[in-house]
């Protein structure tokens, strides 16, 4: 009898949890068709990042302008568009750092920052598009050891001031820069407003403060740092000194009929292809801030409170408007306006959310 009562209690609790997860509302939304207008004979490649400045201008970091051999070619272009989607300019054409585009962000002063995974560099442009700061260092082309970065196990120790396949950056109110670094080093680096190296934290692993591909990063108005720990299927939250505060996991039931954007249907519960695994994150401006996160499968965007409650969900994998092929970067200039950069579909979609409340 006691065993039956215990089983019944577990069943009721599990049913309650499932009901809460199943109750996550679908957010109605629309995608603006043919929004970004490139000039003739200019094309996006895989779009790795998107950002919006204070004027509403959109910046797109694309793996286009491919040069070199079929394997190990350089692929990176940075474009600017007006708020209504018209092409303005290409920034940094033939820049020494261009190798393999990964992320673009705009700081509070409208400076343009990019993370290039291939050159292991962070580049800061001023609003006019001139380089004003470089962080990290590209491998020397003349060095006989130059080549793809190795992935030894255990990994080599990180080096202050340098990166290994860097992924993203964000800022706090004091102007400190936080950098997710990245596919190999598995850490967060912190620089002051002048670019001086302050500290780093993190290492490979699954525990608090450890990472498996810190892939995106954001900072809220209180200075808390949110790291998209993609391989561990969670978002970790730290204070500005790197002290672990909490983690957020996204557990929303997946429609059994969901299809992946590419490849076989995922059955894993962790790693980059697991449902809820954060590929891209962004936090809206204040005073009421919310967090958006995207996954590769089943290809959804999740709206969350900063304490991790899932407030709503939208989208699915696919190739049409309102469908997504591996969202790799997001910008959320307001709670109901999102820009999403897609790797597989070679595009940016502008989404207008239309919540019922």
């Amino acid at each position: 009898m006691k065993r039956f009562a215990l089983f019944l209690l577990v069943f009721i609790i599990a049913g309650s949890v499932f009901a809460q997860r199943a109750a996550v509302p679908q957010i109605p939304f629309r995608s603006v068709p043919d929004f970004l207008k490139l000039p003739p004979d200019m094309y996006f490649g895989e779009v790795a990042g998107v950002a919006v400045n204070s004027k509403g201008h959109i910046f797109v970091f694309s793996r286009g302008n491919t040069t070199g051999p079929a394997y190990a070619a350089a692929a990176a272009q940075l474009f600017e568009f007006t708020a209504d989607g018209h092409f303005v300019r290409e920034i940094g054409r033939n820049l020494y750092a261009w190798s393999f585009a990964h992320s673009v962000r705009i700081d509070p002063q409208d400076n343009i920052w990019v993370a290039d995974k291939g050159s292991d560099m962070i580049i800061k442009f001023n609003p006019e598009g001139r380089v004003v700061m470089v962080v990290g260092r590209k491998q020397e082309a003349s060095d006989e050891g130059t080549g793809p970065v190795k992935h030894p196990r255990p990994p080599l120790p990180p080096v202050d001031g340098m990166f290994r396949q860097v992924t993203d950056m964000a800022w706090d109110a004091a102007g400190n820069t936080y950098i997710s670094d990245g596919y190999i080093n598995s850490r967060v680096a912190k620089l002051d407003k002048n670019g001086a190296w302050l500290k780093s934290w993190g290492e490979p692993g699954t525990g608090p403060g450890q990472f498996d591909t810190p892939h995106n990063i954001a900072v809220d108005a209180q200075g808390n740092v949110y790291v998209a720990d993609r391989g561990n299927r969670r978002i970790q939250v730290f204070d500005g000194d790197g002290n672990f505060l909490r983690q957020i996991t996204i557990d929303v039931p997946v429609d059994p009929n969901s299809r992946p954007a590419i490849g076989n249907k995922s059955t894993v519960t962790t790693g980059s292809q697991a449902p809820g695994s954060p590929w891209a994150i962004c936090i809206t401006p204040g005073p009421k801030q919310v967090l958006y996160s995207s996954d590769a499968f089943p290809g959804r965007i999740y709206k969350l409170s900063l304490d991790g409650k899932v407030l709503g969900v939208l989208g699915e994998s696919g190739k049409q408007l309102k469908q997504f092929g591996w969202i790799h970067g997001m910008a959320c200039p307001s709670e109901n306006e999102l820009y999403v950069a897609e790797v597989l579909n070679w595009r940016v979609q502008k989404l207008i959310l239309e919540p019922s409340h």
Side-chain angles (χ1 to χ4, degrees):
M1 191 68 179
K2 288 182 178 179
R3 287 184 178 178
F4 177 76
L6 180 60
F7 172 80
L8 185 61
L9 178 61
V10 170
F11 179 81
I12 291 172
I13 292 174
S16 175
V17 171
F18 180 81
Q20 290 175 17
R21 293 176 179 174
V24 173
Q26 291 283 332
I27 301 174
F29 73 105
R30 59 186 174 91
S31 176
V32 179
D34 301 318
F35 178 62
L36 296 182
K37 302 167 183 66
L38 280 166
D41 300 322
M42 188 174 285
Y43 304 93
F44 292 137
E46 295 184 343
V47 182
V50 62
V52 180
N53 72 5
S54 65
K55 299 177 182 178
H57 282 210
I58 301 108
F59 297 81
V60 177
F61 202 22
S62 164
R63 295 168 185 166
N65 195 38
T66 304
T67 57
Y71 301 97
Q77 277 183 298
L78 178 61
F79 299 123
E80 180 180 355
F81 299 84
T82 62
D84 58 0
H86 288 91
F87 180 79
V88 175
R89 58 178 172 164
E90 180 179 355
I91 300 170
R93 183 168 179 79
N94 297 323
L95 190 73
Y96 180 61
W98 283 169
S99 179
F100 193 68
H102 203 274
S103 179
V104 58
R105 301 282 191 178
I106 309 297
D107 72 17
Q109 290 74 45
D110 273 351
N111 297 301
I112 310 149
W113 297 64
V114 297
D116 191 295
K117 176 188 172 187
S119 64
D120 303 319
M121 295 195 71
I122 300 285
I123 308 297
K124 175 185 178 182
F125 301 89
N126 64 17
E128 289 70 45
R130 304 305 303 178
V131 175
V132 293
M133 186 184 297
V134 297
V135 186
R137 188 163 190 247
K138 184 179 179 179
Q139 294 186 61
E140 293 183 6
S142 61
D143 194 320
E144 64 180 359
T146 296
V149 179
K150 307 298 183 183
H151 293 69
R153 292 288 184 268
L156 298 174
V159 177
D160 285 359
M162 299 185 73
F163 308 111
R164 293 191 182 106
Q165 298 191 346
V166 66
T167 54
D168 199 15
M169 59 260 124
W171 303 270
D172 63 19
N176 297 307
T177 303
Y178 300 86
I179 297 168
S180 51
D181 173 37
Y183 283 80
I184 297 178
N185 281 341
S186 298
R187 66 172 175 173
V188 173
K190 180 179 180 179
L191 283 60
D192 73 10
K193 64 181 180 180
N194 297 314
W197 188 276
L198 296 178
K199 66 187 303 181
S200 68
W201 71 85
E203 61 184 0
T206 59
Q210 297 179 323
F211 303 105
D212 181 352
T213 315
H215 196 257
N216 246 204
I217 194 166
V219 178
D220 69 17
Q222 283 69 49
N224 297 317
V225 182
Y226 297 68
V227 182
D229 187 9
R230 187 175 74 174
N232 285 323
R233 206 184 77 84
R234 64 185 178 182
I235 299 168
Q236 293 196 67
V237 187
F238 304 87
D239 67 18
D241 290 320
N243 297 304
F244 176 81
L245 300 178
R246 62 185 180 276
Q247 74 174 31
I248 298 169
T249 56
I250 299 172
D251 296 301
V252 177
V254 176
D255 185 333
N257 296 317
S258 293
R259 296 183 177 183
I262 194 172
N264 297 326
K265 190 169 184 177
S266 175
T267 59
V268 299
T269 58
T270 190
S272 65
Q273 294 297 320
S277 178
W279 278 52
I281 60 173
C282 64
I283 296 177
T284 61
K288 177 191 173 185
Q289 293 188 293
V290 294
L291 170 69
Y292 284 97
S293 180
S294 66
D295 62 14
F297 176 79
R300 298 185 295 201
I301 299 172
Y302 305 89
K303 179 181 180 180
L304 303 98
S305 61
L306 295 188
D307 61 4
K309 179 183 178 182
V310 180
L311 304 174
V313 64
L314 59 139
E316 62 181 359
S317 293
K319 301 184 182 301
Q320 304 305 311
L321 289 181
K322 302 178 64 175
Q323 296 178 330
F324 309 118
W326 291 5
I327 295 173
H328 195 271
M330 282 196 297
C332 46
S334 69
E335 186 171 348
N336 294 317
E337 182 181 0
L338 300 180
Y339 297 82
V340 297
E342 299 175 65
V343 167
L344 296 180
N345 291 329
W346 296 13
R347 67 183 179 188
V348 171
Q349 290 191 67
K350 178 180 179 179
L351 309 179
I352 305 299
L353 279 57
E354 301 171 335
S356 58
H357 60 279

